[in-house]
Each structure stands twice: as C-alpha cells, then as structure tokens.
Amino acid sequence: MSVIQELHRQLTGKERSATEITQAYLDRIAALEPRLHSFLTITGDRALEQAAAIDKKIAAGEPLGPLEGIPIALKDNLCTQGVKTTCASRILENFIPPYESTVTQKLQQAGTISLGKTNLDEFAMGSSTENSAFGSTANPWAIDRVPGGSSGGSAAAVAAGECAVALGSDTGGSIRQPASFCGVVGLKPTYGLVSRYGLVAYASSLDQIGPLATTVTDAAILLGAIAGHDPQDATSLKAAVPNYTQYLKPSLEGIRIGVIQETLGDGLSAPVATAMDLALKELENLGATLHPISCPRFAYGLPTYYIIAPSEASANLARYDGVNYGYRDDTANSLLDMYTKTRAQGFGPEVKRRIMIGTYALSAGYYDAYYLRAQKVRTLIKEDFETAFQEVDVLVCPTSPTTAFKAGEKTADPLSMYLSDLMTIPVNLAGLPGLSLPCGFDSEGLPIGLQLIGNALREDVLFHVAYAYEQATPWHSKQPEGLS
Ligand code: GLN
C-alpha cells in the first residue's frame, strides 16, 4: 500500500486521527530538521487546525476523499496566502503573498494538510539546493551529500518521511534530479497540464509543477489532484484529467521502450551504467520490447537551455526592484541607486549570473546569434523526440549521470553543476512529461534514478511502466538508515 492509501485506511478505520497523524509528522520534522533543513517555514499550528477540521468530518460520519487528512510539503516558490513565500531569496525574505497558487488551492480543497514550505535553490536556479540564501539541505541518505535541486527540500522531506508527499517545480530537472538523488519518485508533467498560476516564475516556457512521492501510486494520485485547465494561466491546456491510478498495471506486454543511445556512453558513472543495464533487463522481463533510439540533438539541450532559461529569467526577475514588494535598500539617495542596491543585495551570485547571461543574450546585437538560434535548436530537439515517438511508447535513460555528490564539491564550478541536468533538460525544452524512479544503489548506498520520458500528455504510459517496474523491484521499499 502507498503512503496516501495507508493513511487513508488508518483515518477511515479510525485507527489514528488526522490530528495524531499530523502531530507525528510534525514531531519527525522537529527531530530531523537540525540535520536535514528541508523546510524554510513550518506551519504547525495551521496544520493542526486543518487536521482538527478533518477529524470533525470523520466524527460526523462524513465520507473522506482520498487526500483528506494527508500531510504534504510545498516548495517555497509556490504562493501561499498568508504564509511566507521566499523562493529561498533575500529579496523575498519577508514576502507574504496576498493570494494562493492554483495547485495549493486545489490541494486545500482536496483536504490535504500543509506542513510547511521547503527549501530550494534561490528562484529554482541550481541542482543542489546549495544556492538557497537560507542554508543548504542535506541528503537523508548521507548527510554530507546534496539532495539535488532545485526541489531538494521537497525531495529530502519525502525521503526522510517528514511528509507523506510533496510538490516541486521543474524547469530543467528540478523535480527529477532531486528525486533521483533522494531515492523517491518525481514527475515533471507535460507543459501546460498543471497550472503555473502562483508559481513564482523562473523560465515560463519551461516551468512545470509536479509531485514527489515514495511510490508511483502516490505520484499518480497527487498529479490527478493538481492537474487540469486553469483560466488564470494562459498556457494551461484544455486536457481532460483522467484518474491516473487506473493505469497502474503490473504487465508491460505490448509496450515498446526506446533506449536513448546518446545517454549511455561516456560520462555515465559506472554504478549508474550498471543499474541502467539491470533496469532494461527487468523491463524486458516484464514483457516490454526494447528498441535502440537515437536522439542526435539531445546533447545540445544543455547549451540551448542555458540561453533560453536565463533569458526568460532576466525578464521575469526584472520585477524585483524594491518598489512593489520584497526587500528594499533604504540607504539609497536616488531611484536608480535604490534599484541597483536592492538588487545587488537581494539576489545571490547564481541568480545574478543568470540575469547577466540572459540580458546579454537578449540584447539587440546578440539576439539573433544566441536567443533566436537557441529557439531553433529547441525545435530540432523536439523533432528528435517526435521521430522517436513514432516508433516507441516511452523513452528511458538515466535521470542523472551520477549519484548525489558531496556538499561543496561543485559550488565553485557552475559548469560542472550544470552538467548534472544533462539528461533532464531536453525533456523541458520539448514540453514532454518525464518521471524519475528509484532503480538501484551505488556501493555507498546512494540511490540511482531511472528516467522515463513520454509523449505529450502520455503521463498514463509513464505511470504504467513505472508502476510495473516498481512492483517488480525492491528499490522503493528501502529507506534511509541512521536518521531516527
Ligand atoms: N538545475 C537546473 C538549473 O539550474 C534546473 C533547475 C530547475 O529545473 N528549476 O536551472
């Protein structure tokens, strides 16, 4: 049984109250946070109030929805009315949104209990959660390792059992890479399937919100609750949202799986390569057929992304000028001086680096050479996927070329940090859904992730393949030791 299903059973069977369950998670958070720092804000009082309301419903004999009373954690770039939303940035350190994001509103309506807001790389820019202005997060599997990023707080919280499930956001891999590093399931949905209203924008044409969970079933339940058309988001798709749990089947008979050849060569660490081999054999055992697939433009994803994402970021982050909200420098003696000082003090080094790259790439003299060219390459990458999906139902590759690296190992070298998203970025550029799930451990006991990539709106196939693989393998049932 998944965590959501088990908690639902306990609630409806009156084995434990919502208050008891919530208190147990809050106690675990209190015990683990000094070591992990997954959370930036913990909303214990609110959570217990929400739990009391659920308990009233149960006492009155009212039927309980599948997510009612389920404790969740939210990445701190999702606007929550009345609760600080910092994006792990000094510039939003005291920002309390006057409105609620669509996804968190949907989850409130579904009866989930929010435990708090999780740590991230500042404005979701990073791959290790070390770019947070409020301190980094540790990997529950090894305290001296990073949890991945930028949704490192959410992934660590799920892996450590500080919440039942969590939400993250993914612009170039920020749900899947931390899921891989922390040994949990993470899904980046098709672009437009989940509303971005109230998600603080990083790179709007790439950002998507998605679930992090310990099982495929929980990820499927959570996606069902947050997906769907939203008139508040102009890029939101008018697609029907099925009950994704209907696709969770154990056999892969008739499923064609494409293995992206370009992802299996040099650069892959030995344990990841071995785990991939074994995973492919397992998928075949389950009835799927394997097909070598070439995506020749896959490798251009990284340079393309580092033009497009910073360009969009430089435009999106122009709004933090100290005038409307957020931090303002009070010592300045002119408007320009105030803008300059506010931004110089409010943003961290990685955010500044990207604003500068983006501003440069969009400037009149360089627009054609960089931004326009990157958009053309983006189309070519998309074409590679389109060709592939004429032959296969799903593509597989590692989520990340390595397991979780040591804290501090890559902070001085942004390029080597960028490389950890080599395999996830093309999926965002093409707007496709991608799911990472545990597929083994290296010799140090660090989790390895398998990435499944689907055609647009084919989350059903991803859940099907992931579920069958999960049921046939032991990886998801292992938990980090030495925490409690
Ligand atoms: N690590 C990538 C970056 O630094 C992706 C981040 C993300 O998906 N938000 O931009």
Side-chain angles (χ1 to χ4, degrees):
M1 233 187 232
S2 78
V3 177
I4 291 177
Q5 290 171 331
E6 172 58 22
L7 292 176
H8 183 70
R9 188 193 65 76
Q10 292 175 5
L11 287 168
T12 49
K14 301 202 170 138
E15 227 170 80
R16 280 164 97 200
S17 67
T19 304
E20 282 166 338
I21 291 172
T22 304
Q23 190 58 55
Y25 276 106
L26 290 171
D27 291 347
R28 187 154 175 89
I29 291 172
L32 296 183
E33 277 305 279
R35 273 173 290 165
L36 292 181
H37 192 233
S38 317
F39 285 86
L40 292 177
T41 303
I42 299 160
T43 48
D45 291 346
R46 269 197 183 215
L48 289 168
E49 268 169 38
Q50 288 170 331
I54 301 286
D55 284 333
K56 256 196 196 146
K57 265 187 101 168
I58 298 173
E62 288 178 43
L64 216 57
L67 281 169
E68 279 186 291
I70 305 295
I72 59 161
L74 305 166
K75 187 175 181 178
D76 204 22
N77 59 354
L78 294 165
C79 285
T80 42
Q81 190 170 14
V83 175
K84 256 199 323 189
T85 300
T86 69
C87 291
S89 181
R90 291 262 169 239
I91 214 153
L92 289 179
E93 189 166 3
N94 297 311
F95 175 56
I96 298 179
Y99 72 107
E100 190 76 25
S101 78
T102 296
V103 286
T104 51
Q105 191 163 17
K106 282 188 173 210
L107 288 181
Q108 266 176 24
Q109 279 157 5
T112 62
I113 293 169
S114 170
L115 298 169
K117 310 291 294 287
T118 57
N119 202 6
L120 65 151
D121 289 295
E122 186 175 1
F123 284 103
M125 297 177 189
S127 309
S128 67
T129 314
E130 291 167 296
N131 291 338
S132 167
F134 308 120
S136 52
T137 295
N139 188 316
W141 294 87
I143 295 297
D144 61 340
R145 304 265 167 176
V146 302
S150 62
S151 312
S154 287
V158 170
E162 292 184 307
C163 57
V165 287
L167 287 187
S169 70
D170 190 313
T171 305
S174 277
I175 291 174
R176 291 159 289 157
Q177 186 256 21
S180 167
F181 280 16
C182 290
V184 298
V185 177
L187 170 83
K188 180 206 93 77
T190 304
Y191 185 77
L193 180 61
V194 176
S195 167
R196 290 183 295 110
Y197 180 72
L199 167 69
V200 178
Y202 161 19
S204 314
S205 78
L206 302 159
D207 299 339
Q208 267 292 282
I209 301 162
L212 287 136
T214 49
T215 61
V216 175
T217 304
D218 283 348
I221 296 173
L222 199 54
L223 179 66
I226 59 169
H229 180 250
D230 178 11
Q232 306 263 45
D233 172 0
T235 60
S236 165
L237 295 171
K238 287 204 173 100
V241 179
N243 178 353
Y244 292 105
T245 56
Q246 68 182 293
Y247 305 114
L248 307 179
K249 296 186 199 130
S251 163
L252 294 182
E253 217 60 58
I255 299 282
R256 298 164 304 169
I257 296 182
V259 186
I260 307 178
Q261 299 303 295
E262 286 78 4
T263 63
L264 298 179
D266 300 343
L268 215 53
S269 74
V272 174
T274 311
M276 267 303 288
D277 279 350
L278 291 174
L280 293 176
K281 288 205 183 87
E282 189 60 54
L283 292 168
E284 232 175 351
N285 285 343
L286 290 165
T289 52
L290 299 183
H291 307 260
I293 289 287
S294 174
C295 290
R297 269 84 58 117
F298 204 86
Y300 299 120
L302 200 68
T304 305
Y305 173 87
Y306 277 101
I307 296 295
I308 293 175
S311 295
E312 293 186 18
S314 71
N316 277 327
L317 271 61
R319 72 190 68 171
Y320 306 106
D321 57 5
V323 175
N324 292 305
Y325 49 86
Y327 173 75
R328 172 189 293 182
D329 173 80
D330 290 326
T331 65
N333 46 28
S334 73
L335 182 62
L336 184 62
D337 196 30
M338 191 278 285
Y339 286 158
T340 313
K341 285 192 170 139
T342 295
R343 288 168 70 83
Q345 292 157 21
F347 290 134
E350 184 61 27
V351 174
K352 285 180 189 158
R353 181 178 298 123
R354 298 200 188 192
I355 291 174
M356 284 191 283
I357 295 173
T359 308
Y360 182 83
L362 290 177
S363 60
Y366 294 103
Y367 183 92
D368 288 356
Y370 293 108
Y371 185 72
L372 203 64
R373 177 155 295 215
Q375 289 291 19
K376 288 179 179 169
V377 180
R378 181 178 190 172
T379 304
L380 295 177
I381 292 169
K382 199 159 178 273
E383 277 173 17
D384 276 3
F385 283 118
E386 279 163 10
T387 311
F389 285 118
Q390 282 169 10
E391 283 175 48
V392 297
D393 304 300
V394 62
L395 292 165
V396 299
C397 65
T399 306
S400 179
T402 66
T403 51
F405 45 88
K406 286 223 163 82
E409 193 180 312
K410 296 185 195 278
T411 37
D413 183 0
L415 278 184
S416 88
M417 185 76 87
Y418 295 173
L419 276 171
S420 68
D421 297 316
L422 197 67
M423 319 262 185
T424 48
I425 277 174
V427 182
N428 299 72
L429 289 169
L432 300 175
L435 182 150
S436 177
L437 82 165
C439 74
F441 293 89
D442 69 8
S443 59
E444 288 174 67
L446 298 169
I448 300 171
L450 175 71
Q451 182 177 213
L452 308 174
I453 304 166
N455 208 347
L457 292 174
R458 295 314 302 269
E459 278 78 2
D460 58 329
V461 186
L462 295 189
F463 285 133
H464 176 187
V465 176
Y467 178 81
Y469 178 81
E470 179 189 71
Q471 294 306 300
T473 54
W475 316 121
H476 68 285
S477 50
K478 233 184 126 181
Q479 270 147 30
E481 282 163 21
L483 278 179
S484 43

